[in-house]
């Protein structure tokens, strides 16, 4: 029996993710307080023939972290381990929440270059599934990794960077939990800077016609389209000299409550109860928006609270296919009986060099579709996925999709490189589960 905080915590406790669409009943749950305890937990599980998965805050919508074996909660492995200002890097323990990292970096006058739109996840969970924001030149959080350490299936700690185990580094920055359990990550950081955000309502036809222009002219461009309407809300984030000029109380309420939380929760609950009301609600909600401009430090501009629970599918398309695919999505919704109360989110990323990144080797644009928690989503997601896959789309590893290894091998040129590395690092599939069997093959 292991001792200390790595010891068995619960017998047959059911785990579920943030959205509530995934559950698992592990044989035991461990919360290692040190890398040594994690190594011992992995070795012991392997000896017992149990599989091991680490789980962050459960913000994935897939079963990537689900297991009937040993569930590892890494939250005790948290905090900044070192800062190298000369190299422009920070090393953090894998269980560190992005919100804690962002605040700690800001206190030291530092920042990540780009972020996703929430910061509840652990750094290892976010990077392992490919969490990203939007950027013309700056890519996903995983693309900002300069080094990492992971515990492999035999209980060893493997250090990886461009110089040390580079073939593992190329893959493990976004490893979907298949190569080992990440224990520490070294990120590139830069001196704290200001972003000026400009939000502006815009017609669907205009934003799609001008999409390439907006991407070219802005460091970070994204927009939301409200189904059942021709209305969008655009957001452009660009660096500025400051000073900070955060949103006023009224506009902050509109963004954080009307669009994201309290009022939005009520609107979605009404839409779930009375689906016929959704188009009218969408028209009112999309017209409630007005243009606003504000300036703040990066994480306060990139991220926002998300209290309304939902289920999400997101695909990365070749950027040049985005507008055509989005127009097809709108046409499909317009002619269908579907009632969609959540806006569709569109973002971009430059090509990167990570083996299974959704932007690996190609400039990408993302289309994310959402449905309110508890609302049937299969018909909408199936129809959307048919459009996305017709354009060579790559599903986000942490969001709902139905793709398997055969499909994914066709859209990832380096897919075989990843699976060969997995065979070498984890031949007995200590870190396997049903999701990885589907997406990576047996």
């Amino acid at each position: 029996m292991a001792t200390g905080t790595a010891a068995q915590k619960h017998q047959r406790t059911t785990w579920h993710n943030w959205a509530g669409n995934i559950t698992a009943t592990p044989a035991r749950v461990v919360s290692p307080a040190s890398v040594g305890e994690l190594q011992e937990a992995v070795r012991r599980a392997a000896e017992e023939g149990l599989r091991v998965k680490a789980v962050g805050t459960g913000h994935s919508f897939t079963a990537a972290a689900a297991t009937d074996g040993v569930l590892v909660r890494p939250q005790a492995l948290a905090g900044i381990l070192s800062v190298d200002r000369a190299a422009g890097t920070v090393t953090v323990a894998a269980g560190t929440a992005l919100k804690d990292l962002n605040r700690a970096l800001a206190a030291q006058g530092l920042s990540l270059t780009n972020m996703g739109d929430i910061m509840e996840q652990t750094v290892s969970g976010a990077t392992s599934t490919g969490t990203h924001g939007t950027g013309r030149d700056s890519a996903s959080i995983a693309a900002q990794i300069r080094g990492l350490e992971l515990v492999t299936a035999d209980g060893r700690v493997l250090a990886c960077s461009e110089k040390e185990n580079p073939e593992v580094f190329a893959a493990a920055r976004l490893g979907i939990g298949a190569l080992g359990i990440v224990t520490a990550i070294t990120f590139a950081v830069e001196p704290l800077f200001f972003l000026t955000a400009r939000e502006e309502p815009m017609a669907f036809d205009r934003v799609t016609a001008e999409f390439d222009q907006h991407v070219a002219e802005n460091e970070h461009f994204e927009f939301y389209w409200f189904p059942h309407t021709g209305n969008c809300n655009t957001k452009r984030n660009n660096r500025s000299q400051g000073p900070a000029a955060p949103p006023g109380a009224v506009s902050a309420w509109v963004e954080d409550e009307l669009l994201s939380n309290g009022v939005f929760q009520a609107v979605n609950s009404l839409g779930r109860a009375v689906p016929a009301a959704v188009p009218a609600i969408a028209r009112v909600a999309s017209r409630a928006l007005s243009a606003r401009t504000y300036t703040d430090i990066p994480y306060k501009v990139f991220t926002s609270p998300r209290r309304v629970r939902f289920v999400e599918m997101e695909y990365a398309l070749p950027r040049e296919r985005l507008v055509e695919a989005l127009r097809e999505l709108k046409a499909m919704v317009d002619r269908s009986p579907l009632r969609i109360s959540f806006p569709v989110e569109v973002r971009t990323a430059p090509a990167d060099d990570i083996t299974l990144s959704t932007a690996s080797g190609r400039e990408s644009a993302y289309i994310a579709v959402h449905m309110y928690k508890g609302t049937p989503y299969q018909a909408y997601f199936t129809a959307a996925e048919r459009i996305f896959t017709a354009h060579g789309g790559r599903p986000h590893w942490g969001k709902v999709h139905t793709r398997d290894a055969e499909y994914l091998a066709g859209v990832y040129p380096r897919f075989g490189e990843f699976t060969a590395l997995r065979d070498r690092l984890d031949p007995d599939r200590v870190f396997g589960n049903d999701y990885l069997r589907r997406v990576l093959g047996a």
Side-chain angles (χ1 to χ4, degrees), residues 27-269:
R28 62 175 178 265
V29 179
V30 299
S31 303
S34 68
V35 174
E37 288 187 1
L38 174 59
Q39 291 175 274
E40 178 56 33
V42 171
R43 290 191 194 104
R44 179 184 168 206
E47 289 169 0
E48 296 176 358
L50 294 174
R51 295 183 294 184
V52 186
K53 299 304 297 179
V55 62
T57 54
H59 272 77
S60 289
F61 302 92
T62 66
T67 187
D68 58 2
V70 177
L71 192 72
V72 176
R73 292 190 172 276
Q75 279 79 354
L77 301 174
I80 291 180
L81 303 177
S82 65
V83 176
D84 186 335
R85 291 181 180 272
T89 61
V90 60
T91 300
V92 295
T96 308
L98 279 168
K99 60 185 177 184
D100 296 331
L101 173 61
N102 284 331
R103 290 165 185 157
L105 287 175
Q108 297 201 39
L110 298 169
S111 177
L112 294 169
T113 297
N114 200 354
M115 302 171 205
D117 54 14
I118 65 168
M119 56 178 185
E120 303 305 311
Q121 316 100 306
T122 61
V123 293
S124 55
T127 55
S128 293
T129 53
T131 295
H132 62 92
T134 190
R136 179 189 63 202
D137 310 305
S138 54
S140 70
I141 303 176
Q144 297 169 67
I145 295 177
R146 295 295 175 265
L148 59 85
E149 293 183 352
L150 73 162
V151 173
T152 55
D154 58 5
R156 290 182 303 135
V157 176
L158 192 66
C160 312
S161 67
E162 287 184 346
K163 295 180 179 178
E164 192 174 10
N165 296 302
E167 76 289 350
V168 180
F169 180 67
R173 284 173 285 170
L174 197 168
I176 337 171
L179 305 178
I181 296 180
V182 176
T183 57
I185 299 175
T186 299
F187 289 105
V189 291
E190 59 178 300
L192 195 64
F193 56 94
F194 286 107
L195 284 171
T196 292
R198 178 182 170 198
E199 297 177 6
E200 179 185 5
M202 193 175 291
F204 179 92
D205 290 341
R206 180 186 164 193
V207 74
T208 51
E210 298 176 355
F211 177 69
D212 288 336
Q213 177 186 341
H214 292 306
V215 172
E217 292 177 352
N218 296 280
E219 292 175 73
H220 309 274
F221 175 72
E222 64 185 308
F223 68 94
Y224 297 83
W225 163 58
F226 293 81
H228 311 296
T229 79
N231 303 327
C232 297
N233 192 41
T234 63
K235 185 176 181 182
R236 291 165 251 200
N237 299 332
N238 290 286
R239 295 190 185 218
S240 71
Q241 295 300 308
V250 173
S251 65
W253 182 88
V254 170
E255 167 66 22
D256 293 335
E257 294 304 322
L258 177 61
L259 281 183
S260 305
N261 294 302
V263 178
F264 194 49
Q265 175 93 42
V267 163
N268 275 278
S269 296

